[in-house]
Amino acid sequence: AQSVTQLGSHVSVSEGALVLLRCNYSSSVPPYLFWYVQYPNQGLQLLLKYTSAATLVKGINGFEAEFKKSETSFHLTKPSAHMSDAAEYFCAVSEGGQGAQKLVFGQGTRLTINP
Amino acid sequence: DAGVIQSPRHEVTEMGQEVTLRCKPISGHNSLFWYRQTMMRGLELLIYFNNNVPIDDSGMPEDRFSAKMPNASFSTLKIQPSEPRDSAVYFCASSFWGEQFFGPGTRLTVL
């Protein structure tokens, strides 16, 4: 069965610093992988997705993630944090492989940006 | 496209009352998902439908919860009777090929 582990339930960085949110997955079949962001009092919004094309995926708001099969990782990065990046971030893997409808979500990482 | 539409956005009710949450998925999407989010338990998948048919309801907490999808453009999640521990934000999401689009959620408070 597919699963997702997000390392660190809370991450705090200074404005302008590198953002690194860690995600490791477990999947017995080639996966689709996703990062979602949730701002306060809102639903989840897709940041980016990996669907077996390029291993480096660029998303909205300057975020990107790299699929590393050997490490079963899909870490999310942004070179320079902005105050507006403060939110909760969820990593997800498609259950059943590519194109499967059901997603398995990680527990989320709350990102705080310090001025 | 208006995105996934949920109603009501906020619901306050008393213990024992029936609560019905509504969702309109994005047109053309063939899968619909109901999630519950709380501070203690995080984001939980309750049930999902594919082509209006319930596929996996293993996340439905108990018989008080029921969900229907009578057609491709409408779904309901009903709680009867409601209890204070049902207080949470309930999200509906729809998808066509993997990527899920979430609605704004319904914040339910059961007193």
Side-chain angles (χ1 to χ4, degrees):
Chain A
Q2 282 72 17
S3 66
V4 172
T5 302
Q6 291 184 238
L7 298 177
S9 58
H10 290 85
V11 171
S12 181
V13 302
S14 298
E15 189 174 18
L18 171 72
V19 175
L20 170 61
L21 304 182
R22 300 179 187 275
C23 172
N24 288 90
Y25 70 92
S26 170
S27 178
S28 57
V29 297
Y32 282 175
L33 293 159
F34 306 82
W35 275 101
Y36 283 83
V37 59
Q38 184 180 28
Y39 299 103
N41 300 313
Q42 295 187 26
L44 279 68
Q45 175 185 353
L46 183 71
L47 265 181
L48 50 81
K49 61 183 177 182
Y50 166 76
T51 57
S52 75
T55 55
L56 182 62
V57 182
K58 294 186 184 299
I60 61 172
N61 301 338
F63 284 92
E64 63 182 36
E66 186 172 8
F67 172 70
K68 291 188 176 180
K69 183 178 179 180
S70 61
E71 299 177 8
T72 60
S73 68
F74 191 57
H75 301 331
L76 181 71
T77 60
K78 182 174 180 177
S80 177
H82 191 273
M83 296 298 292
S84 61
D85 295 326
E88 187 148 21
Y89 293 79
F90 293 89
C91 182
V93 62
S94 56
E95 186 179 87
Q98 297 173 357
Q101 302 289 48
K102 182 178 176 180
L103 298 182
V104 176
F105 284 87
Q107 286 299 104
T109 297
R110 184 169 299 278
L111 176 64
T112 301
I113 311 297
N114 302 312
Chain B
D1 198 319
V4 176
I5 299 173
Q6 291 187 246
S7 64
R9 292 294 311 275
H10 301 274
E11 177 80 30
V12 180
T13 190
E14 293 187 347
M15 182 174 61
Q17 296 297 306
E18 176 181 303
V19 175
T20 300
L21 310 182
R22 297 173 176 80
C23 175
K24 177 178 170 56
I26 293 173
S27 177
H29 284 189
N30 62 347
S31 293
L32 184 140
F33 305 80
W34 282 103
Y35 292 90
R36 178 172 67 176
Q37 187 177 40
T38 61
M39 289 292 291
M40 292 297 294
R41 301 173 70 93
L43 188 66
E44 304 173 275
L45 176 65
L46 301 177
I47 185 172
Y48 82 95
F49 297 83
N50 196 39
N51 294 322
N52 311 338
V53 176
I55 302 299
D56 182 354
D57 65 355
S58 59
M60 296 286 263
E62 48 198 277
D63 292 345
R64 297 184 297 107
F65 285 69
S66 63
K68 294 182 179 180
M69 191 166 186
N71 57 61
S73 59
F74 184 65
S75 177
T76 60
L77 177 67
K78 183 180 293 186
I79 308 173
Q80 180 185 23
S82 59
E83 296 183 3
R85 60 193 168 120
D86 301 330
S87 297
V89 180
Y90 291 81
F91 290 104
C92 175
S94 69
S95 74
F96 177 70
W97 190 250
E99 174 184 343
Q100 292 183 19
F101 293 80
F102 282 74
T106 295
R107 183 174 296 276
L108 173 65
T109 302
V110 183
L111 303 174

